[in-house]
């Protein structure tokens, strides 16, 4: 039995890896893909949200938005550091893609990757105004917590631990978004309508960010210990969480 | 990016029949780069028959110790470990990357923590660093080590462990498990699930364990982890470091000399990057466009080198090339001439690649 095979069997039985040296090629490829997608999404998300700081109606909101921008950059840096241990040129990586670039608001990018980086497509759409930023932040926040919740259980232990450190802060970003939407809805009908419009705009786009279903690929990722739940399971959990939150928000 | 430093071999100590402990000294200007965290490892490279090959070995010195030591056990067909055990000499220079690795827990000097360690064979190496560092820096903590070997003569660091136990009475407990030669049934055999269950029921108290470390071959690691979890230890308290039982393939990187081999059939390669065009050569086989660019000192972007992350994406403006694997580019991008340069090999006599498009 060669070494890669025994490592794959070890992973299939729930084993964990802790250094790049021990990762067989196929595992490394899938892991790098997950990490690149996370880093690119955080960098693109932060770049898009940076513009929203100025939309904030007051200092408190601008601080919240700035904090989100700051921490998302920090999260990207932490995972990029792990990619560096696999030989990634981390200095170069940070500036190679135009993280702030956005597609048109009404373009339909589906769930196939777009452009040169690995960000989730939802981060290719531009944000329009404060209500839009806050609503998107809640909806994407719910998605992020579920998506990276998977990485927190990764068989690559350094990633799992890094994400476990990131997860509470991503949850806090979600809470900040919720506080923001509550304030907007309380402030009057026109803001409430904007939140509703944003909900309608972002819902299918974020739903698409969970990706299509490829059961063979999922089975492989499960065997590698890199995924637990299917895209469909995550999407459905996200839909329940988002629908529950906004129903209660609008009914208050 | 992978940067190697020349380390001088200061001392080679025969540890067992088939293992050595090597003391190394980094160049003075890189001393800070070689400050390490307990449990980390060094990656060495050597060129064998024109191919660059890399191997990693765990550091076995404590963080506070002045010298940098690694333990190297000879494995069958292991080209580096055989060289280190048989031909390495004091004064030799070996290239190594700065310490890396994540097999450690945070040091909290005020806490009274209870550690468990499970080492199989040469999987003991990182424990030497972890145990010494924990005992020195967490004066209230205790460490219990279960250490499995084939026989008594295979036990690496036997004396050093004994000394550590004697100087840290009551804080370091060691249980040797030997496949042969053990007098007591409980300490004889392999470290499998049954053995661990028996140990945890009769000898090692796993309750209130703050952190457990496992390092060894795959079956042992799974068995120990299963037993720990069955005895109520949460998954997030267990740290794993797989000690691959055999070298992973030939596992090498192509060396720079191969890139510039004048005898091989070559393609002329032009690379545009940040608005500057540079010309170089690339052999028709065996060297990717990215490797050729890096060998020509061109600061081409890359990350995974596995065809995954698309950082090294570029456009073929002239000539023909093929991609070995592609996990990142969409079909329309490939049709438009984009390639992942880490996976891209020339087919035509000349090739023009643009990283700026």
């Amino acid at each position: 039995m060669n070494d890669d095979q025994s490592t794959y069997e070890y992973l299939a039985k729930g084993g964990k890896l802790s250094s790049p040296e021990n990762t067989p090629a196929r595992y490394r490829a899938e892991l790098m893909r997950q990490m690149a997608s996370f880093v690119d999404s955080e960098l693109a998300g932060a770049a898009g949200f940076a513009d929203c700081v100025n939309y904030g109606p007051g200092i408190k909101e601008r601080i919240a938005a700035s904090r989100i921008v700051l921490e998302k950059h920090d999260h990207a840096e932490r995972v990029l550091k792990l990619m560096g241990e696999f030989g990634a040129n981390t200095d170069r990586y940070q500036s190679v893609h135009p993280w702030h670039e956005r597609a048109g608001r009404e373009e339909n990018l589906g769930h196939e990757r777009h452009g040169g980086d690995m960000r989730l497509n939802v981060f290719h759409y531009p944000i329009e105004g404060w209500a839009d930023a806050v609503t998107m932040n809640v909806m994407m926040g719910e998605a992020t917590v579920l998506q990276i919740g998977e990485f927190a259980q990764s068989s690559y232990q350094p990633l799992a631990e890094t994400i476990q450190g990131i997860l509470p802060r991503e949850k806090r970003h979600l809470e900040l978004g919720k506080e923001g939407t509550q304030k907007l809805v309380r402030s009057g009908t026109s803001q409430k309508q904007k939140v509703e419009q944003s909900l309608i705009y972002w819902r299918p786009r974020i739903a698409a960010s969970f990706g299509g279903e490829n059961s063979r690929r999922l089975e492989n990722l499960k065997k590698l210990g890199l995924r637990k739940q299917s895209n469909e399971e995550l999407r459905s959990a996200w839909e329940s969480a988002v629908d529950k939150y906004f129903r209660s928000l609008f009914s208050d | 990016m992978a940067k190697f430093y020349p380390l001088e071999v200061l001392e080679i100590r025969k540890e067992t029949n088939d293992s050595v402990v090597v003391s190394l000294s980094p160049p003075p200007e890189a001393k800070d780069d070689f400050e390490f965290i307990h449990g980390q490892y060094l990656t060495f490279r050597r060129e064998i028959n024109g191919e660059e090959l890399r191997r990693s070995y765990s550091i076995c010195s404590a963080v506070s110790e002045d010298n940098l030591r690694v333990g190297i056990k000879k494995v069958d067909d292991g080209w580096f470990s055989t060289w280190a055990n048989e031909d390495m000499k004091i004064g030799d220079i070996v290239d190594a990357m700065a310490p890396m690795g994540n097999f450690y827990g945070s040091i909290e000097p005020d806490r009274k923590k209870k550690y468990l360690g499970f080492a199989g064979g040469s999987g003991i190496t990182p424990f030497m660093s972890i145990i010494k560092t924990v005992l020195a820096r967490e004066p209230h903590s205790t460490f219990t080590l279960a250490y499995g070997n084939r026989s008594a003569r295979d036990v690496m660091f036997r004396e050093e462990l004994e000394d550590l136990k004697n100087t840290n009475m009551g804080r370091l407990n060691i249980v040797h498990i030997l496949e042969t030669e053990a007098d007591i049934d409980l300490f004889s055999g392999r470290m499998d699930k049954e053995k661990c269950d028996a140990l945890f029921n009769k000898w090692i108290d796993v309750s209130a364990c703050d952190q457990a470390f496992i390092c060894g071959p795959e079956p042992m690691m799974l068995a120990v982890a299963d037993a720990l979890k069955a005895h109520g230890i949460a998954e997030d308290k267990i740290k794993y470091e797989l000690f691959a039982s055999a070298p992973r393939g030939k596992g090498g990187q192509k060396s720079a000399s191969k890139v510039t081999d004048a005898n091989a059939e070559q393609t002329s390669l032009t690379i545009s990057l940040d608005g500057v065009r540079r010309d170089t050569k690339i052999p028709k086989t065996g060297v990717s466009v990215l490797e050729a660019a890096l060998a020509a000192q061109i600061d081409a972007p890359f990350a995974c080198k596995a065809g995954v992350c698309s950082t090294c994406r570029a456009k073929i403006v002239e000539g023909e090339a093929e991609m070995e694997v592609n996990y990142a580019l969409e079909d329309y991008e490939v049709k438009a001439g984009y390639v992942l340069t880490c996976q891209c090999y020339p087919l035509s006599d000349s090739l023009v690649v643009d990283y700026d498009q």
Side-chain angles (χ1 to χ4, degrees), chain A residues 35 38-43 46 67-82 144 148 159 162-163 165-173:
Chain A
M35 292 200 287
F38 174 79
V39 170
D40 293 5
S41 296
E42 290 285 293
L43 288 175
R67 177 174 161 176
I68 290 173
V69 172
L70 169 83
E71 290 183 348
K72 290 206 187 296
H73 277 122
D74 175 59
H75 298 170
E77 191 176 38
R78 291 188 200 188
V79 175
L80 188 55
K81 186 168 169 270
L82 296 181
T144 303
I148 72 171
L159 177 64
T162 302
I163 297 292
I166 287 171
L167 203 47
R169 301 213 302 191
E170 289 289 345
K171 283 182 179 161
R172 180 67 191 136
H173 296 174

Side-chain angles (χ1 to χ4, degrees), chain B residues 8 29 32-33 112 116 120 167 170 176 209 212 230-231 243 278 293 305 317:
Chain B
E8 189 186 344
E29 67 277 10
D32 291 349
D33 295 298
K112 188 179 177 179
L116 294 176
T167 46
H176 285 284
C209 157
H231 281 77
F243 234 69
R278 293 265 307 273
K305 282 192 176 174
V317 186

